[in-house]
């Protein structure tokens, strides 16, 4: 049975086609380098981002490859911890009793802890997460350095605190020195002021003595003889009477002399 006109083509018969939903790549992040003191706890942090909801199908795998050529794990990464279906499974015996899962997978945190860290742990740790259908992603890697206490670098916080304390000590020293200098200058000014007053007083005293000596000189230059008082002269009566001899009228003449 033909469909359509003469020479025409048959119409295409449609069949339902299922298109798979594209999956997004999962993003995994870890610290590029971690430095741990030998014999202490070493935390290896790892987080991930996924467009899918975390479920029981979500799995985490931690692997380790040693940086020491003669180490048994130097040729290829070996699984040291695996987490799936809500349970953790330690891997190699060397890490079996030292690896602890400290993350929260519901918060997309899959960090682990080495307790205690050893020199044999120097190497690269790989963190891989699968969250179906997000299974494509590049595993994160962390270089672990286990060092002695003497060569353990100070943290940034310790450096900042040390710098602030040092600056405060320098400021205190400067303030104390400034107070000392100000006090010395102040005492020197007081001393110079006293010296000036003493010199002024001495000069005034010398002027006063000079004035007194001048007065004494002028006094000494005046006549040194006794000052004569008024001179009394007696005037006799020469009238010839009998009682004329006994009649004496005193006359006072004042002898005024200029000094």
């Amino acid at each position: 049975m033909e469909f359509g006109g003469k020479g025409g083509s048959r119409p295409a018969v449609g069949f339902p086609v299922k298109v798979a939903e594209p999956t997004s790549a999962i993003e995994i992040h870890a610290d590029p380098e971690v430095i741990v003191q030998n014999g202490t706890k070493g935390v290896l942090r790892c987080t991930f981002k996924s467009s899918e909801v975390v479920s029981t199908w979500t799995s985490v795998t931690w692997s380790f490859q040693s940086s020491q050529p003669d180490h048994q794990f130097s040729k290829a990464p070996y699984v040291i911890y695996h987490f799936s279906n809500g349970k953790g499974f330690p891997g190699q015996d060397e890490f079996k009793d030292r690896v602890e899962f400290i993350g929260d997978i519901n918060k997309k945190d899959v960090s682990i802890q080495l307790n205690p860290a050893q020199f044999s742990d120097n190497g690269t740790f790989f963190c891989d997460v699968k969250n179906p259908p997000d299974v494509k992603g590049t595993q994160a890697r962390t270089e672990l350095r286990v060092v002695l206490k003497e060569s353990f670098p100070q943290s940034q916080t310790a450096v900042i605190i040390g710098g602030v304390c040092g600056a405060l000590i320098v400021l205190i020293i400067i303030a104390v020195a400034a107070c000392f200098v100000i006090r010395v200058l102040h005492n020197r000014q007081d001393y110079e002021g006293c010296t000036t007053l003493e010199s002024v007083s001495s000069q005034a005293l010398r002027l006063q003595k000079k004035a007194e000596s001048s007065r004494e000189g002028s006094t000494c230059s005046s006549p040194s003889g006794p000052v004569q008082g008024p001179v009394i002269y007696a005037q006799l009566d020469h009238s010839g009477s009998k009682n004329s001899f006994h009649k004496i009228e005193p006359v006072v003449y004042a002898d005024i002399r200029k000094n």
Side-chain angles (χ1 to χ4, degrees), residues 128-145:
D128 192 16
V129 182
K130 306 296 183 183
N131 187 34
D134 289 348
V135 294
K136 294 182 179 180
T138 303
Q139 58 185 359
R141 52 191 298 167
T142 299
E143 296 292 334
L144 179 63
R145 291 174 54 195

Side-chain angles (χ1 to χ4, degrees), residues 32-72:
E33 183 181 30
V34 175
I35 302 175
V36 182
Q37 181 182 337
N38 182 40
T40 62
K41 296 180 180 179
V43 177
L44 302 177
R45 303 190 181 279
C46 182
T47 59
F48 66 95
K49 293 181 179 180
S50 175
S51 59
E52 298 294 328
V53 178
V54 176
S55 64
T56 56
W57 297 101
T58 304
S59 64
V60 180
T61 303
W62 278 91
S63 304
F64 168 70
Q65 184 174 4
S66 177
S67 59
Q68 302 173 11
D70 56 345
H71 198 277
Q72 59 177 337

Side-chain angles (χ1 to χ4, degrees), residues 136-155:
K136 294 182 179 180
T138 303
Q139 58 185 359
R141 52 191 298 167
T142 299
E143 296 292 334
L144 179 63
R145 291 174 54 195
V146 182
V147 298
L148 293 172
K149 181 179 181 180
E150 291 75 12
S151 55
F152 186 76
Q154 294 182 350
S155 62

Side-chain angles (χ1 to χ4, degrees), residues 3-187:
F3 295 90
K6 185 177 180 180
S9 60
R10 295 182 179 181
V13 178
F15 295 95
V17 178
K18 183 179 180 180
V19 179
E21 296 180 359
T23 60
S24 58
I26 189 171
E27 298 180 10
I28 308 172
H29 303 280
D31 296 329
E33 183 181 30
V34 175
I35 302 175
V36 182
Q37 181 182 337
N38 182 40
T40 62
K41 296 180 180 179
V43 177
L44 302 177
R45 303 190 181 279
C46 182
T47 59
F48 66 95
K49 293 181 179 180
S50 175
S51 59
E52 298 294 328
V53 178
V54 176
S55 64
T56 56
W57 297 101
T58 304
S59 64
V60 180
T61 303
W62 278 91
S63 304
F64 168 70
Q65 184 174 4
S66 177
S67 59
Q68 302 173 11
D70 56 345
H71 198 277
Q72 59 177 337
F73 299 146
S74 62
K75 296 181 180 181
Y78 289 81
V79 176
I80 61 172
Y81 185 82
H82 182 73
F83 181 91
S84 64
N85 200 18
K87 296 180 182 181
F89 305 93
Q92 299 294 330
D93 293 339
E94 186 175 347
F95 295 92
K96 184 176 181 180
D97 298 329
R98 296 191 299 118
V99 176
E100 180 183 358
F101 185 79
I102 60 172
D104 187 347
I105 199 168
N106 293 320
K107 296 181 180 180
K108 300 179 180 180
D109 184 358
V110 293
S111 303
I112 61 173
Q113 176 179 271
L114 295 177
N115 187 22
Q118 301 175 357
F119 290 117
S120 58
D121 297 335
N122 280 289
T124 306
F125 288 80
F126 301 90
C127 177
D128 192 16
V129 182
K130 306 296 183 183
N131 187 34
D134 289 348
V135 294
K136 294 182 179 180
T138 303
Q139 58 185 359
R141 52 191 298 167
T142 299
E143 296 292 334
L144 179 63
R145 291 174 54 195
V146 182
V147 298
L148 293 172
K149 181 179 181 180
E150 291 75 12
S151 55
F152 186 76
Q154 294 182 350
S155 62
Q156 187 175 4
T157 304
V159 173
I160 294 174
I161 293 175
V164 172
C165 293
L168 290 176
I169 292 174
V170 172
L171 290 177
I172 292 173
I173 293 174
I174 293 174
V176 172
C179 292
F180 178 76
V181 172
I182 292 174
R183 181 174 296 179
V184 171
L185 293 177
H186 182 70
N187 293 336

